[in-house]
Amino acid sequence: AAAAAAAAAAAGAGAAAAAAVVGPEHPKNDKVLRKPFFKDWNDFMDFDLTFKHKMPITCSELTLLLEKEQEDLANWDVCVDRKEIRVAKVQTGTGCITLRAWAMVPGINVYVAFYLFYKLDERVKWDKVLENGKLVEGNMQGSEVIYCLMKIPGVTNREFLQYRRAFLREDGSIVIVLRSAEHLDMPEGQGECKGNIRVESFISGYVLRQSYDDKGEPVLQIFLMSCADIKGLVPKWIINFVAPKKPAEWVDTLRKACQGYQDAHPRCEDELREYVQRFRKENPFDYEAGYEADVVEETALAPQPKESDPALQPTSPCQPCGFVSTAAK
């Protein structure tokens, strides 16, 4: 009985944490969140990859990322500790390292950072590690499937096929989770994937927050977490030596891209608001079947724009906002 009570309490705590991610009660329907699929972080990391590759991202994974953001640094090696960024690493059982990083980026708007990171045709303009990126499938139970190619001089090209899911929380923070996926349109080692090495992305997570300094100027707060096996013949010690330096380089590159975009779009926050707000929409697959059926029916009746739809592109500085409110793909 005690064990059953403890299990019930744990399930309740997980559901409460998930509720904090997915948002307030739906005004029309009584709804119940599905129980967290993964028991805890260790269960998530140790779970059978063959199964995870076929399963879109669950809301409990967003919660796990938020918990990792707040976790202390006991047993973590703090390898970068500067005013603007802190990076910590820990060795995993896979032989790879897991990185966590916290950064403060003065002068940057959170909507701009999210837009330039999330929209792949924008990201490849500034993220020079990526050769290309494309959306493979736009709606798989609230997740997308994306494909990115990374070219590194002197070694075989690496590719990522990942589920990707983003959620705009009530406090304005934006949570993004990615991990490896499978898709019939992008079979490993065939077609355009031939000759590439597919990276195993155990977790790639980001939390973006907006704060302000004493003068009222915006400050972007970034938390990022990554654990991946790039495979191939690159020695693990080289990866472990180089990887901790990359978050600071990546954040600085993002900062420059955001500053350039903000200079070119003085009304960027207003222009991008609708683009970002569409990620607040609840995912019916996070809830038990009754509510899911109601929302799926409503969603099916609504037009589903493609990412290339001009209505989802930011307006120029001299135009009124041209966005339409849509469900996240």
Side-chain angles (χ1 to χ4, degrees):
V21 174
V22 299
E25 289 296 314
H26 192 276
K28 295 181 181 179
N29 303 286
D30 292 331
K31 60 184 181 179
V32 178
L33 278 169
R34 297 184 190 275
K35 293 181 180 179
F37 187 87
F38 300 104
K39 298 175 183 177
D40 52 30
W41 182 261
N42 290 334
D43 184 42
F44 167 72
M45 291 297 290
D46 294 340
F47 208 84
D48 184 357
L49 293 176
T50 303
F51 187 84
K52 284 171 71 174
H53 288 173
K54 297 177 172 63
M55 183 181 71
I57 294 167
T58 65
C59 71
S60 63
E61 294 170 59
L62 307 182
T63 303
L64 289 173
L65 179 66
L66 291 169
E67 291 173 355
K68 278 295 178 182
E69 179 188 18
Q70 300 300 323
E71 183 181 293
D72 63 35
L73 292 171
N75 301 317
W76 287 73
D77 175 21
V78 178
C79 43
V80 178
D81 193 1
R82 303 199 298 263
K83 179 180 179 181
E84 72 278 9
I85 188 167
R86 172 180 287 186
V87 181
K89 67 177 181 177
V90 67
Q91 193 83 24
T92 69
T94 63
C96 305
I97 63 170
T98 300
L99 291 176
R100 290 192 293 162
W102 299 260
M104 306 282 284
V105 192
I108 301 304
N109 182 278
V110 67
Y111 287 2
V112 174
F114 175 68
Y115 176 74
L116 294 184
F117 171 77
Y118 201 83
K119 204 165 189 309
L120 290 173
D121 57 355
E122 291 291 336
R123 184 177 175 185
V124 296
K125 295 177 184 178
W126 61 268
D127 195 340
K128 301 306 180 183
V129 174
L130 298 182
E131 179 71 15
N132 63 49
K134 70 175 184 178
L135 183 68
V136 177
E137 185 164 341
N139 190 358
M140 294 185 69
Q141 299 183 18
S143 296
E144 301 169 321
V145 177
I146 63 170
Y147 175 83
C148 296
L149 181 65
M150 180 173 66
K151 289 190 175 181
I152 306 173
V155 300
T156 305
N157 294 342
R158 265 37 179 202
E159 63 180 16
F160 295 79
L161 185 66
Q162 296 170 299
Y163 291 112
R164 179 179 70 168
R165 183 174 175 185
F167 194 85
L168 174 63
R169 303 175 70 218
E170 289 296 321
D171 64 2
S173 60
I174 304 172
V175 184
I176 310 160
V177 173
L178 304 94
R179 60 170 164 79
S180 284
E182 290 182 5
H183 198 280
L184 291 176
D185 291 345
M186 302 297 293
E188 186 173 2
Q190 301 180 39
E192 66 182 279
C193 304
K194 188 175 182 179
N196 302 327
I197 294 177
R198 182 161 295 180
V199 172
E200 181 61 51
S201 176
F202 298 101
I203 176 68
S204 184
Y206 305 81
V207 182
L208 309 179
R209 290 188 170 86
Q210 189 75 80
S211 62
Y212 296 89
D213 63 18
D214 294 339
K215 298 179 181 179
E217 295 298 317
V219 177
L220 174 67
Q221 298 181 354
I222 302 176
F223 169 72
L224 65 88
M225 184 168 189
S226 176
C227 182
D229 182 358
I230 69 169
K231 301 183 180 179
L233 300 178
V234 181
K236 289 288 192 297
W237 71 267
I238 294 180
I239 299 169
N240 294 345
F241 176 76
V242 173
K245 302 177 181 179
K246 293 303 176 183
E249 296 175 6
W250 184 86
V251 168
D252 189 56
T253 305
L254 173 62
R255 178 192 62 78
K256 293 176 181 177
C258 290
Q259 190 62 64
Y261 188 94
Q262 290 173 188
D263 292 344
H265 299 78
R267 296 179 57 247
C268 56
E269 183 169 352
D270 292 336
E271 295 166 9
L272 294 174
R273 181 170 285 108
E274 291 293 344
Y275 179 87
V276 175
Q277 289 295 323
R278 67 194 183 105
F279 291 92
R280 190 186 295 277
K281 185 175 177 65
E282 294 174 331
N283 176 12
F285 296 96
D286 291 336
Y287 299 91
E288 296 295 349
Y291 175 71
E292 175 184 310
D294 291 341
V295 179
V296 167
E297 182 177 358
E298 293 174 8
T299 305
L301 295 175
Q304 299 296 312
K306 297 180 178 180
E307 188 172 276
S308 59
D309 190 328
L312 296 181
Q313 310 306 312
T315 59
S316 67
C318 60
Q319 292 177 316
C321 180
F323 284 95
V324 295
S325 179
T326 64
K329 293 168 55 178

